[in-house]
Each structure stands twice: as C-alpha cells, then as structure tokens.
Amino acid sequence: MGRRLQHHYFEAVTRLTYDPKKANEEAGMTLLNNGSHFDLVIRNEGGKRVAFCRFQFGSLRHITRKMELKPGPVDLKITGERTQFIFSVSQNGSDFKEIERIDSKYLSTEVVGWFTGIYVGLYATGNGQAATAPADFDWFGYRETEAPPAQERSMF
C-alpha cells in the first residue's frame, strides 16, 4: 500500500504488530521514488527483533545503526521537514526515538529520474523466500504538519 507525498512538512505513522522468526522476513514503512527507497525496517537479527533504516540508491545501499525492540507492537513514523526525512519508532505510542535523518533531495525526481514522485507505503516481505510471520498493520495515517516559523527554517 502506498500514498503519494503531497507536502514538504508531513508525518506518516503506522502501528505494526510483527514478530519475525526468520532472517529473510521483514516488514516496515518505506519512501519510494523510481526504484530508490528509504526503508524503516523491523527484522529478526540473531534472535533479537530490531529496527533500523536502509537507504537504497540504485546499487548503493546504506544500513543505519540498529535499535533492539521489546516484545509488542511498534509505531513507525516518517516525518518530512522540507529538506530532510526523519525516521523514528515508539513502543508506547508517544515517545518516539529517532533512528536516522537523511536529506530529502536524495529521493527527489531530479536525482532519481523522472517519475511520478515520492510515495510513502507499508510493506512486508520474505525477500524472495517463504515468510511465515504475519505483519499486522493496525492503521496508517498521513497528515500535513506546519512549517516552523521563518526564523527557525534553514536558509536553503
């Protein structure tokens, strides 16, 4: 499922109940434009459920630091603040912990090629293999947020 971004300032949030057991299984939220994507991932690594970000530009791939998660649902949030995207998670529905920030220009049409723009979406995959863990997305929300006052904005 995906939704086109319509605003420079936005929040996209979902609640995911997911307990993967196999290394090939993952689920999360993604920003996608013409094959390049920024993913907020939940996966099992070494018997521990972790959250991290993966940034893919053609054949280039970057994986961020990993945050170990407690059992239970996880809220995933991607925030757009004009020149950057912020990826964060919460396990209590309110105290979001930032995992990573990245410049939004890397998903722009000018950088990744002429297509239809950036989409935010939810995904679950076995990465080419059978997956057994169900990914239950309880809800998904997208809303425009307000730009900061002019004196707080970047000059770029």
Side-chain angles (χ1 to χ4, degrees), residues 113-153:
W114 298 100
F115 194 57
T116 59
I118 302 171
Y119 282 80
V120 59
L122 310 177
Y123 78 96
T125 182
N127 286 301
Q129 300 176 30
T132 58
D136 181 13
F137 293 93
D138 293 344
W139 44 261
F140 171 78
Y142 173 93
R143 70 179 182 100
E144 179 181 17
T145 57
E146 292 192 23
Q151 67 269 21
E152 295 179 24
R153 286 188 226 154

Side-chain angles (χ1 to χ4, degrees), residues 17-154:
T17 302
Y18 185 59
D19 191 18
K21 300 297 183 200
K22 299 177 183 176
N24 63 296
E25 298 175 337
E26 66 180 60
M29 192 181 315
T30 187
L31 292 173
L32 171 71
N33 191 3
N34 202 21
S36 291
H37 51 96
F38 298 166
D39 308 319
L40 181 49
V41 180
I42 304 296
R43 178 187 277 181
N44 182 320
E45 293 199 352
K48 296 177 182 178
R49 192 171 64 139
V50 296
F52 62 94
C53 292
R54 177 180 51 231
F55 305 130
Q56 177 100 27
F57 311 91
S59 63
L60 298 174
R61 178 185 264 191
H62 173 72
I63 304 280
T64 66
R65 69 181 176 91
K66 295 175 180 164
M67 178 184 297
E68 188 173 342
L69 299 170
K70 296 180 263 179
V74 181
D75 290 354
L76 306 175
K77 179 167 72 170
I78 301 175
T79 305
E81 292 184 354
R82 189 166 184 83
T83 61
Q84 61 185 343
F85 296 124
I86 303 159
F87 299 82
S88 52
V89 299
S90 171
Q91 290 202 266
N92 65 10
S94 61
D95 297 321
F96 280 88
K97 294 183 176 126
E98 184 177 311
I99 293 179
E100 191 64 71
R101 294 173 179 246
I102 190 165
D103 288 344
S104 58
K105 69 182 177 185
Y106 296 118
L107 275 187
S108 70
T109 299
E110 293 79 13
V111 172
V112 300
W114 298 100
F115 194 57
T116 59
I118 302 171
Y119 282 80
V120 59
L122 310 177
Y123 78 96
T125 182
N127 286 301
Q129 300 176 30
T132 58
D136 181 13
F137 293 93
D138 293 344
W139 44 261
F140 171 78
Y142 173 93
R143 70 179 182 100
E144 179 181 17
T145 57
E146 292 192 23
Q151 67 269 21
E152 295 179 24
R153 286 188 226 154
S154 169

